[in-house]
Amino acid sequence: MLGVVFTTLIEMLEENVSPEFADEVITEAELDNDGAYTSVGYYPFSEMQKILSVLVAKTGKPPEELLHGFGYYLFGRLAQSHGQVMSGSKNLLDALSVLDNDIHVQVRKLYPDADLPTFTVISRTENTMVLEYYSVRELAPLAEGLMDGAAEYFGQKINRVTTKSDKPHTYEFLITVE
Ligand code: HEM
């Protein structure tokens, strides 16, 4: 998992809770590098899982809620630093329809080591989309937070329903723009 994901998570904890809280989390998670991440580095996904379990223990919130909140925050940060990646899209469904063939392709050029998921558009009308998400890391709640962040970025309100597919590591999002 890319360093930018770790540095953004630590930044979110510092900003939304406090620098002391972020330090406590890093210490309690007993991370291999004591939390010294660089944005262009690459670190095992298990380190992210360690941070998440410490956050669950400290906040009492379910991991899904924490991942969703982080996805929302992460989208804002990515859009700020790499806004050009989104420049071809006018609204959320347009952005989601080019996620695999454009947005994440551009991300791969910026970060060749990125571990990216697969998104497949199953169906689309003007205001609805069924989007399939596949990742061995099964970060569906993170994807939901990213989608909600993207909806906010485009000034749109959405409804979402997530279903686990029969296929391994696969989820389906039904997204409706209000
Ligand atoms: C609505 C839009 C987006 C969605 C739903 C989305 C979804 C995701 C998800 C779910 C992951 C986690 C990896 C996994 O599931 O295995 C991911 C990773 C990532 N995405 Fe996106 N993404 C979106 C837009 C963007 C944009 C605009 C950027 C950058 C400009 C971006 C850059 C990245 C990066 C850097 C990673 C980390 C890869 C790694 O850890 O190695 N994404 N994305």
Side-chain angles (χ1 to χ4, degrees):
M1 181 157 252
L2 275 172
V4 66
V5 180
F6 289 87
T7 54
T8 308
L9 176 59
I10 292 167
E11 180 195 302
M12 181 183 85
L13 299 177
E14 288 172 347
E15 210 177 279
N16 291 359
V17 190
S18 68
E20 293 73 26
F21 180 79
D23 281 346
E24 276 171 40
V25 172
I26 289 168
T27 310
E28 289 175 31
E30 300 179 345
L31 303 167
D32 288 347
N33 62 356
D34 296 323
Y37 298 107
T38 67
S39 61
V40 291
Y42 186 82
Y43 308 92
F45 178 53
S46 54
E47 295 285 286
M48 181 57 67
Q49 289 170 310
K50 282 196 218 165
I51 300 178
L52 191 61
S53 3
V54 169
L55 284 174
V56 169
K58 286 179 90 68
T59 63
K61 291 183 182 168
E64 293 78 15
E65 185 182 333
L66 294 165
L67 275 173
H68 176 275
F70 176 47
Y72 187 87
Y73 184 92
L74 180 62
F75 186 88
R77 282 291 173 274
L78 290 171
Q80 241 173 25
S81 50
H82 302 299
Q84 78 287 354
V85 167
M86 302 281 294
S87 59
S89 304
K90 292 189 300 297
N91 57 52
L92 174 70
L93 296 189
D94 279 358
L96 293 177
S97 64
V98 297
L99 197 48
D100 250 37
N101 296 326
D102 183 2
I103 296 180
H104 275 168
V105 172
Q106 294 189 55
V107 168
R108 162 105 36 231
K109 287 184 195 152
L110 294 169
Y111 306 106
D113 288 335
D115 270 334
L116 294 164
T118 307
F119 285 95
T120 311
V121 178
I122 305 293
S123 64
R124 159 111 206 239
T125 68
E126 198 188 334
N127 292 319
T128 65
M129 177 181 281
V130 176
L131 184 66
E132 191 181 79
Y133 160 73
Y134 168 86
S135 167
V136 286
R137 289 167 292 285
E138 299 209 18
L139 293 169
L142 184 78
E144 292 169 350
L146 284 157
M147 287 191 277
D148 290 348
E152 163 85 29
Y153 174 86
F154 289 112
Q156 293 182 297
K157 288 228 178 310
I158 58 166
N159 288 307
R160 285 186 290 95
V161 181
T162 303
T163 324
K164 177 130 187 39
S165 153
D166 296 336
K167 297 183 226 167
H169 312 303
T170 306
Y171 294 79
E172 253 184 34
F173 304 121
L174 166 61
I175 305 143
T176 312
V177 178
E178 283 179 16

